[in-house]
Amino acid sequence: MKKIAVVTDSSSGIDKSYMETHDVRVLPMSVIIDGVAYRDGVDATTEEIYSMLKESGEGAKTSQPPIGEFMEVYEALEADDNYEAVIAVHASSELTGTYQSSLSASEGMTKPVYVIDSRIGSYPMKQMVERAVEARNSDRSIDEVVQDIRSMRERAQLYLLPQSFNQMRKSGRISASRSMLASVLNIHLKLKFDDGKVVIGEKLRTKKKVVNAVMAQLEEHVKEDAVKTLAIVHAGNADLTEEWKARIEEKMPQLNLVVEPLVTVAGVHTGHGTIGFGFTKNQ
């Protein structure tokens, strides 16, 4: 087994059980609700955070871990002879500073450290972390593993159907005028990742058009990109999640479906009730 330490932040959605079982260090992002900061997975669970967002989530914000926490992690790894190298996978540098903080904190390490900007978040980022963990039992060199993870960035995608235009405006993700216009016209947005940034993919006027557009897009990915595993990620809306799960199972029964919470630092900006679809292309 290779002595690889794996580091990430809570934007990956790695839960406590996986973290403890597979020895992954997860630096918690914080969600700020009504002026109180909750470290994701430490001060409050994902479910608790979404419950609070539902009740009083307007104007909620997020913040990254302080640089001191990154330094503590790397100092501990430097002193630990159980590890010979470190692979760190962090959320898109276009959206948060965790990648840069991790890179800066690792500069004093004498052990090899590979800090990777995932250019995304949530389930596709989680897959990159899992690939690093799996490498401990592979015959590949660390350089090969790192190159593999970096190549996953070009094949990773996450679509989001935001629930709250008002919250996206307050969190700075869209302008006030665009938020008001979208609400008045009853426009539904489909967000996606493009080179590490969240961009508007489509603007649709009815729920039926949203469903049809998303299903067509997912079917195309399954056909053209050989997608075999799809994650449905949700910000606290179990009923809507089950609706989407039933639709996808009917149209694409060959897919391996994973259902899990959307990482809270994303859900804060898109609103309670947001649904998303994450995957990594196999071609």
Side-chain angles (χ1 to χ4, degrees):
M1 177 180 288
K2 293 185 179 69
K3 297 180 179 179
I4 301 174
V6 179
V7 177
T8 188
D9 59 71
S10 59
S11 298
S12 63
I14 294 293
D15 62 30
K16 186 175 182 181
S17 175
Y18 186 94
M19 176 182 70
E20 294 175 348
T21 301
H22 298 283
D23 185 26
V24 178
R25 285 161 175 75
V26 180
L27 287 123
M29 304 282 280
S30 291
V31 175
I32 304 167
I33 304 172
D34 290 338
V36 179
Y38 301 91
R39 289 173 296 168
D40 193 5
V42 177
D43 300 319
T45 65
T46 298
E47 291 75 16
E48 288 170 339
I49 289 174
Y50 277 132
S51 179
M52 287 186 282
L53 286 176
K54 184 178 181 180
E55 296 301 321
S56 56
E58 291 294 326
K61 298 179 181 180
T62 61
S63 66
Q64 68 187 57
I67 185 66
E69 292 186 9
F70 286 92
M71 294 181 69
E72 288 177 7
V73 167
Y74 283 113
E75 287 171 1
L77 292 175
E78 174 73 1
D80 194 332
D81 292 334
N82 289 315
Y83 305 106
E84 60 187 32
V86 182
I87 296 177
V89 181
H90 293 291
S92 175
S93 60
E94 296 286 349
L95 302 176
T96 178
T98 55
Y99 164 74
Q100 190 57 53
S101 292
S102 189
L103 195 64
S104 298
S106 69
E107 287 179 352
M109 294 278 286
T110 59
K111 297 175 181 178
V113 181
Y114 304 86
V115 183
I116 300 172
D117 179 354
S118 72
R119 309 297 288 172
I120 203 163
S122 195
Y123 184 75
M125 178 180 164
K126 181 181 185 178
Q127 289 182 301
M128 297 177 198
V129 175
E130 291 172 343
R131 189 66 59 90
V133 170
E134 292 164 4
R136 293 168 175 162
N137 295 313
S138 75
D139 295 328
R140 295 181 300 166
S141 69
I142 293 179
D143 286 338
E144 288 174 325
V145 173
V146 170
Q147 184 56 41
D148 181 25
I149 295 171
R150 285 177 174 155
S151 73
M152 291 174 70
R153 299 181 299 188
E154 308 303 318
R155 297 179 284 116
Q157 186 53 268
L158 177 66
Y159 295 118
L160 295 172
L161 303 180
Q163 182 66 21
S164 173
F165 288 108
N166 194 38
Q167 175 58 13
M168 290 178 70
R169 175 183 63 79
K170 289 186 176 181
S171 67
R173 289 317 189 250
I174 60 174
S175 67
S177 59
R178 181 173 291 183
S179 171
M180 185 175 0
L181 183 63
S183 297
V184 169
L185 297 179
N186 194 30
I187 290 174
H188 301 265
L189 297 183
K190 184 179 77 174
L191 307 180
K192 66 177 183 177
F193 274 77
D194 183 12
D195 194 26
K197 300 176 183 178
V198 178
V199 299
I200 297 175
E202 289 181 87
K203 301 176 184 178
L204 302 159
R205 290 292 294 273
T206 67
K207 181 180 177 181
K208 183 177 180 180
K209 288 183 178 180
V210 171
V211 171
N212 290 340
V214 171
M215 291 298 292
Q217 189 79 70
L218 294 178
E219 287 183 275
E220 182 179 343
H221 283 303
V222 170
K223 180 180 178 181
E224 301 296 331
D225 303 317
V227 172
K228 294 180 172 58
T229 298
L230 173 73
I232 304 174
V233 292
H234 58 92
N237 193 329
D239 291 340
L240 188 56
T241 304
E242 286 303 313
E243 289 179 20
W244 276 102
K245 185 172 181 288
R247 289 189 192 103
I248 294 170
E249 286 177 334
E250 181 181 1
K251 288 284 188 179
M252 293 166 276
Q254 74 277 28
L255 268 179
N256 174 38
L257 287 182
V258 175
V259 178
E260 63 182 40
L262 174 65
V263 293
T264 56
V265 289
V268 162
H269 297 297
T270 56
H272 181 276
T274 294
I275 292 287
F277 310 90
F279 55 88
T280 300
K281 303 173 185 178
N282 289 321
Q283 291 183 346

